[in-house]
Amino acid sequence: MNSEFDKPLLTVDNLSKSFGQFIANDQICFDVIKGHIHCLLGENGAGKSTLANCIYGASKPDSGRIVFKGQEVSFSSPKDAIRQGIGMVHQHFVLSEPMNAVENIIVGEESTGTFLNLQNDTEKIQNLCDQYDLTFDLSLPVSQLSVGEQQWIEILKALYVGVDLLLLDEPTAVLTPQEVERLFAVISKMAAEGISVILITHKLDEVLDISNSVTVLRKAKAIITVDTENSTKASLAKLLVGRDFDFKVNKVKVDRGAPVLEIKNLSVLRDNKTLAVNRVSLTVHEGEILGLAGVSGNGQSELFDALVGVRQTENGSIRLAEDEITNCSPAEISIKGMASVPQDRLKQGLIGNFSVKENLILGAHSNPPFCSRGVLNWKTIMDFSKEAINNFDIRTIGPEQKVEQLSGGNLQKVILAREISHPIKTLIASSPTRGLDINASFYVYSRFLEQLKLKAGILLISEDLDELFNIADRIAVIYNGSILGEYCIEDATIEKIGLLMAGLKEETEPLVQSDN
Amino acid sequence: MLSDILQSGLIISILATAVRMGTILLLAALGELIVERSGVLNLSVEGMMLSGAFGGFIGAYYTNSLWLGVLSAILAGLLISALFGLLAIILQIDQTVSGLTVNIFAAGLTFYLYRTLFPNVGATNIPALKPFSVFQLPFLSDIPIIGKILFSQYALSYLAFFLMLLVAFYLYRTKSGLILRTLGENPRVVDMKGINVMRYRFLAVLFGGMMAGLAGSFITLASVGIFVADITSGRGWLAIAIVIFGDWKPVKILWASLFFGFIDALQMQLQALGVQLPFQLFLTMPYILTTVAVFLARKRSGAPLALGVHYERE
């Protein structure tokens, strides 16, 4: 082996980055060897993407050094990084859809001449394709290519310019197992040619399949860097989810009653018509919290949408207590006793430039007592708002304030006040404490527990395992749109749940065939 | 009377007028094509054309040179488009709002300046100049029928055809054209290659202004030789419709321009012939047919994906 292959191509030394109060990266250190595939493993919000952006020049680190090819570098834009030989393939591709691969690759590239010579460029790119065994039609518009092929174009962009280090941000999130296999073949080939690859992922299989080394990130810190050959799925899973419990909720067990939400064999499609939720069956009873764990993008948001009525179902049925609500309108579902706390508070839950009082009646705005004969009854609305602000301790200068000016915790209180001020049968909450501080999170939990005493059932969709272990009665795990398993809280361990989240039932036996 | 219409002489005359009116629209539409392909929806074509019509008239009137008039028309279109670019691209004001504002501004400004320069204009005292005359292309204009329709036109018409070829070549055969088209579909692709999105779009808007100005000068300098308020009478809006109808492609835009020019010509000639229909109907015909045409074209697929969207970095 060439001695050059042992020297680090990239050294990240004590890199820190924060956004306001929020620390995204806290003194991160790791090396990437030339020709190695290095994984950054971590859950959502662990700081992987911020780290990648710092290396790629899209973000500027607050402190610390980045050494590339033996020289300390400081990029002011991705353009600088590309010039030095660092490329990146984003999770969301940056492509011009109506144009073909060649046009997407060569547009804006510095080269002499005024006129296009597409034939010449096509030949050059075809050679690159041959070199890496990529076979697809370079003349088809991007919109007609599969997601996997579109990703190849992004990789070809980097190869065309000639990179020494390529960052791939969650490259397999949108790929089929077959496409993943082909991608990995390309990545391995690149590594063999001396290109270093940083693969950002939360999937254990991928780390073990392809990487030479892995840095585990958790809560903005680089926990450890290990050689992949000395790791197992179980050891990585443990590092990935951690096992620290910072706080406990005082939960009084409520007797579980009749089913209030019954999901049977439910299938739901994504926007691109592929299966997002695959024959899911779940039951939530009065007085219990069913936690749904899973890495985001495994069908949770489509499931949520289908339950609240904003996405058509393909198959199966949903019952809310005595009522069949499959494919009912959101208004009907809400009237029948479903409350929902969506994941994105400002995009899905509230209207930012509406006032607090307007947001507090959204959904009920055309029903008495807020409205009679199509005319809003502002006095009733005002009284209701003042009461809600009081009851839910919403910190606002008044009912007239625009909600976009409120903090995250107060936004969530506005949503809760709207959703659970009246009697409900089921509450569906998606990541209800994401981005909230501990106090606000505890407030949300206390309101949930209060609903249990009122005989409601709660479906809590969350990626935060601490949260689920704190307040759920049972935990089900969704992976790739299917429920892989369900545990009573007494039987559940973080290791068991973590493995299911990674798509493994036991260490040796993958449940979903992703290796063929 | 209707039998007269069928006479070949009349048909030739209508078609020749169609080419003349169509090339006015073509000039403005080609400019708008470049602007929209860069991702900017410019609704101020009417105002730019009107400024061109006014600038062209004033330039020619005071210099006694029609070609210097054309030049000042281009300059007028350029200035008005710079105003639009300032609002819509640099200050990032909503593109629709910016476009409408500039239209109102141009209408008011041209009328104000005209009345300031010619305070004594009355019904009988309209300042006029001798417009361009038809430029018969040697030999080609002698070809029967086709020679009369295509090759006995104003110089500006020939220029319009030539510019159509130039625009098509630019868009599809040059590196800069590829960048411009990419800007309209996904400006981020271009931004990540280190190209200044705003600067590119601003230049596209300036080009659109110059073309609209040129088209405006055609009206005052080649058709009538006078200026009156709102003389463009909606042709700028037609140019926008033509870009849609032409599916954002140069050659289709040529055909669409000729089609709309034909409707205009038909209206003029039928009216002149004294066909027994109310004249108001003839005047409204272009607008009715435009509505129908755009309705038929509602499923066009060529619209740039980022059209009308401000570009913001993440």
Side-chain angles (χ1 to χ4, degrees):
Chain A
M1 193 184 264
N2 196 323
S3 68
E4 191 194 9
F5 274 70
D6 293 330
K7 272 195 295 183
L9 176 77
L10 174 85
T11 301
V12 173
D13 183 21
N14 263 317
L15 186 146
S16 295
K17 172 81 185 171
S18 41
F19 300 96
Q21 298 276 342
F22 176 72
I23 299 169
N25 289 153
D26 190 3
Q27 301 190 325
I28 306 274
C29 297
F30 70 94
D31 288 339
V32 179
I33 310 286
K34 184 171 164 59
H36 268 200
I37 300 169
H38 187 95
C39 280
L40 294 178
L41 177 70
E43 293 190 285
N44 272 333
K48 291 169 296 178
S49 294
T50 307
L51 182 55
N53 280 333
C54 286
I55 297 170
Y56 180 61
S59 252
K60 237 184 157 52
D62 298 334
S63 62
R65 297 188 313 146
I66 298 172
V67 180
F68 185 62
K69 292 184 194 165
Q71 288 199 326
E72 187 170 341
V73 290
S74 167
F75 302 127
S76 54
S77 77
K79 176 84 180 163
D80 291 347
I82 295 167
R83 280 215 183 101
Q84 299 271 335
I86 300 181
M88 178 153 174
V89 175
H90 293 81
Q91 209 171 347
H92 303 285
F93 307 145
V94 184
L95 296 170
S96 165
E97 297 249 318
M99 296 179 185
N100 67 28
V102 177
E103 290 170 315
N104 267 286
I105 292 166
I106 61 145
V107 65
E109 280 307 330
E110 282 161 13
S111 55
T112 49
T114 309
F115 305 112
L116 284 175
N117 190 342
L118 287 177
Q119 215 170 352
N120 196 11
D121 295 324
T122 307
E123 258 168 49
K124 263 194 234 166
I125 293 164
Q126 189 60 55
N127 285 341
L128 274 178
C129 287
D130 295 344
Q131 192 184 341
Y132 289 97
D133 294 327
L134 301 174
T135 42
F136 69 112
D137 192 341
L138 290 177
S139 64
L140 278 181
V142 168
S143 54
Q144 288 180 32
L145 298 175
S146 71
V147 176
E149 289 165 334
Q150 294 184 13
Q151 192 173 53
W152 293 351
I153 299 178
E154 289 284 11
I155 293 173
L156 283 167
K157 270 193 200 172
L159 292 173
Y160 184 81
V161 188
V163 293
D164 301 300
L165 173 68
L166 183 65
L167 293 103
L168 294 140
D169 190 2
E170 303 273 3
T172 61
V174 286
L175 301 184
T176 66
Q178 290 76 17
E179 287 173 329
V180 171
E181 202 182 320
R182 300 194 65 177
L183 171 69
F184 280 6
V186 174
I187 293 177
S188 301
K189 201 145 195 174
M190 286 169 63
E193 310 236 334
I195 299 173
S196 303
V197 176
I198 294 181
L199 185 69
I200 298 163
T201 184
H202 56 247
K203 296 179 181 167
L204 302 174
D205 277 325
E206 291 176 3
V207 177
L208 293 164
D209 275 0
I210 193 167
S211 71
N212 301 96
S213 50
V214 49
T215 298
V216 181
L217 298 178
R218 195 168 72 225
K219 291 185 178 153
K221 288 195 164 75
I223 300 294
I224 192 171
T225 299
V226 291
D227 285 339
T228 311
E229 53 185 15
N230 302 328
S231 307
T232 62
K233 282 171 194 170
S235 73
L236 287 177
K238 199 165 150 186
L239 288 168
L240 175 68
V241 294
R243 51 190 328 181
D244 306 298
F245 284 82
D246 299 320
F247 49 85
K248 270 263 173 226
V249 176
N250 275 331
K251 188 169 176 223
V252 183
K253 186 99 180 159
V254 179
D255 285 335
R256 116 180 186 181
V260 281
L261 178 70
E262 287 175 275
I263 304 166
K264 283 206 180 113
N265 274 322
L266 187 72
S267 295
V268 185
L269 299 183
R270 282 189 195 88
D271 289 343
N272 67 9
K273 307 280 175 221
T274 57
L275 206 57
V277 176
N278 186 6
R279 302 198 152 268
V280 162
S281 296
L282 291 169
T283 306
V284 183
H285 301 84
E286 281 177 3
E288 74 163 353
I289 296 179
L290 171 62
L292 185 63
V295 176
S296 79
N298 275 294
Q300 297 97 319
S301 59
E302 287 83 2
L303 175 65
F304 179 93
D305 289 352
L307 292 177
V308 300
V310 296
R311 187 180 286 270
Q312 285 288 110
T313 63
E314 273 299 293
N315 247 316
S317 67
I318 310 166
R319 278 183 84 81
L320 180 65
E322 281 83 44
D323 299 309
E324 171 84 30
I325 57 161
T326 323
N327 291 330
C328 285
S329 75
E332 287 172 88
I333 293 174
S334 152
I335 284 173
K336 285 176 176 150
M338 173 94 82
S340 62
V341 177
Q343 182 171 13
D344 192 325
R345 295 184 267 273
L346 270 179
K347 274 192 189 140
Q348 299 163 289
L350 299 164
I351 299 176
N353 59 6
F354 274 23
S355 64
V356 172
K357 66 176 180 187
E358 285 165 326
N359 273 288
L360 279 170
I361 59 153
L362 280 182
H365 56 274
S366 54
N367 308 330
F370 302 130
C371 181
S372 52
R373 293 193 196 90
V375 180
L376 288 174
N377 192 344
W378 283 113
K379 190 174 174 323
T380 316
I381 294 169
M382 200 63 180
D383 292 344
F384 170 76
S385 302
K386 283 179 181 158
E387 204 182 311
I389 289 170
N390 237 331
N391 284 344
F392 284 81
D393 190 27
I394 300 167
R395 305 284 166 86
T396 167
I397 53 175
E400 312 282 354
Q401 192 179 14
K402 286 186 178 181
V403 294
E404 65 192 1
Q405 297 166 346
L406 301 184
S407 72
N410 282 305
L411 291 176
Q412 199 66 301
K413 286 176 182 173
V414 174
I415 294 178
L416 283 173
R418 181 181 72 210
E419 297 292 323
I420 61 176
S421 283
H422 52 90
I424 57 161
K425 291 173 182 148
T426 303
L427 170 70
I428 300 170
S430 181
S431 302
T433 60
R434 171 181 285 185
L436 301 190
D437 60 28
I438 292 182
N439 282 328
S441 302
F442 265 72
Y443 183 84
V444 172
Y445 298 149
S446 69
R447 285 289 175 173
F448 283 6
L449 299 177
E450 182 187 281
Q451 284 300 313
L452 299 184
K453 289 181 197 150
L454 298 171
K455 296 276 175 210
I458 296 175
L459 176 63
L460 173 59
I461 302 170
S462 179
E463 290 166 63
D464 185 344
L465 289 182
D466 288 349
E467 170 170 291
L468 293 174
F469 275 87
N470 261 337
I471 65 166
D473 296 281
R474 289 182 292 139
I475 299 179
V477 181
I478 190 167
Y479 176 79
N480 227 341
S482 303
I483 301 296
L484 284 202
E486 194 181 304
Y487 292 101
C488 280
I489 197 70
E490 293 80 14
D491 304 332
T493 63
I494 284 203
E495 284 77 11
K496 284 182 191 172
I497 302 293
L499 285 176
L500 287 182
M501 282 169 70
L504 300 155
K505 197 155 212 175
E506 274 153 23
E507 214 191 308
T508 47
E509 174 200 339
L511 268 178
V512 174
Q513 52 285 49
S514 57
D515 297 37
N516 55 345
Chain B
M1 290 277 187
L2 275 170
S3 61
D4 295 339
I5 299 171
L6 302 174
Q7 285 170 12
S8 64
L10 183 63
I11 290 178
I12 287 171
S13 157
I14 290 178
L15 290 179
T17 313
V19 171
R20 177 160 60 87
M21 300 316 288
T23 43
I24 296 177
L25 296 170
L26 178 62
L27 286 169
L30 287 173
E32 180 67 3
L33 171 68
I34 292 290
V35 179
E36 292 199 10
R37 276 299 191 126
S38 83
V40 178
L41 180 64
N42 168 28
L43 293 184
S44 63
V45 188
E46 177 78 5
M48 293 176 185
M49 256 178 108
L50 186 59
S51 308
F54 174 75
F57 178 78
I58 293 299
Y61 190 84
Y62 285 109
T63 62
N64 280 321
S65 158
L66 289 171
W67 285 106
L68 283 179
V70 171
L71 206 64
S72 78
I74 294 173
L75 196 68
L78 185 79
L79 287 175
I80 292 293
S81 65
L83 175 66
F84 172 75
L86 175 73
L87 297 176
I89 298 174
I90 296 176
L91 299 178
Q92 303 255 311
I93 297 167
D94 181 89
Q95 293 177 6
T96 306
V97 173
S98 304
L100 296 178
T101 307
V102 169
N103 276 335
I104 296 166
F105 174 74
L109 183 73
T110 50
F111 187 61
Y112 168 75
L113 289 177
Y114 183 71
R115 292 310 297 257
T116 309
L117 293 170
F118 307 104
N120 300 321
V121 170
T124 53
N125 183 24
I126 299 173
L129 46 77
K130 190 175 175 299
F132 278 113
S133 45
V134 166
F135 181 72
Q136 309 239 352
L137 285 185
F139 307 114
L140 290 172
S141 57
D142 296 336
I143 304 171
I145 303 176
I146 292 181
K148 287 244 164 48
I149 297 172
L150 290 180
F151 302 115
S152 307
Q153 294 288 350
Y154 296 100
L156 288 173
S157 292
Y158 306 127
L159 184 65
F161 280 105
F162 174 72
L163 284 171
M164 191 279 291
L165 294 174
L166 208 64
V167 163
F169 185 84
Y170 169 76
L171 278 177
Y172 297 108
R173 294 292 163 86
T174 68
K175 290 175 181 170
S176 172
L178 178 61
I179 292 173
L180 185 96
R181 284 186 287 137
T182 310
L183 274 174
E185 308 293 349
N186 186 353
R188 212 167 128 68
V189 174
V190 175
D191 186 32
M192 287 176 70
K193 301 278 176 97
I195 289 163
N196 189 329
V197 173
M198 290 230 270
R199 188 165 151 262
Y200 237 92
R201 285 185 165 175
F202 198 92
L203 289 173
V205 165
L206 292 183
F207 176 78
M210 287 160 59
M211 291 294 278
L214 185 61
S217 76
F218 206 139
I219 297 172
T220 42
L221 300 183
S223 283
V224 287
I226 58 164
F227 178 84
V228 293
D230 195 28
I231 192 170
T232 42
S233 60
R235 289 200 175 80
W237 294 105
L238 271 183
I240 296 172
I242 284 167
V243 173
I244 299 170
F245 199 56
D247 204 21
W248 290 268
K249 293 181 178 68
V251 178
K252 281 190 183 172
I253 283 173
L254 169 67
W255 293 118
S257 301
L258 291 175
F259 172 71
F260 282 96
F262 175 72
I263 295 171
D264 217 0
L266 204 61
Q267 173 256 121
M268 292 179 191
Q269 297 284 350
L270 289 182
Q271 209 179 331
L273 267 174
V275 175
Q276 294 302 309
L277 283 169
F279 78 95
Q280 290 92 340
L281 190 66
F282 289 113
L283 289 177
T284 39
M285 203 158 64
Y287 304 105
I288 295 170
L289 286 175
T290 304
T291 311
V292 173
V294 171
F295 178 75
L296 291 175
R298 69 194 183 282
K299 280 193 177 154
R300 293 290 134 132
S301 57
L305 295 174
L307 181 61
V309 185
H310 281 304
Y311 179 63
E312 277 170 51
R313 287 194 170 175
E314 286 182 349

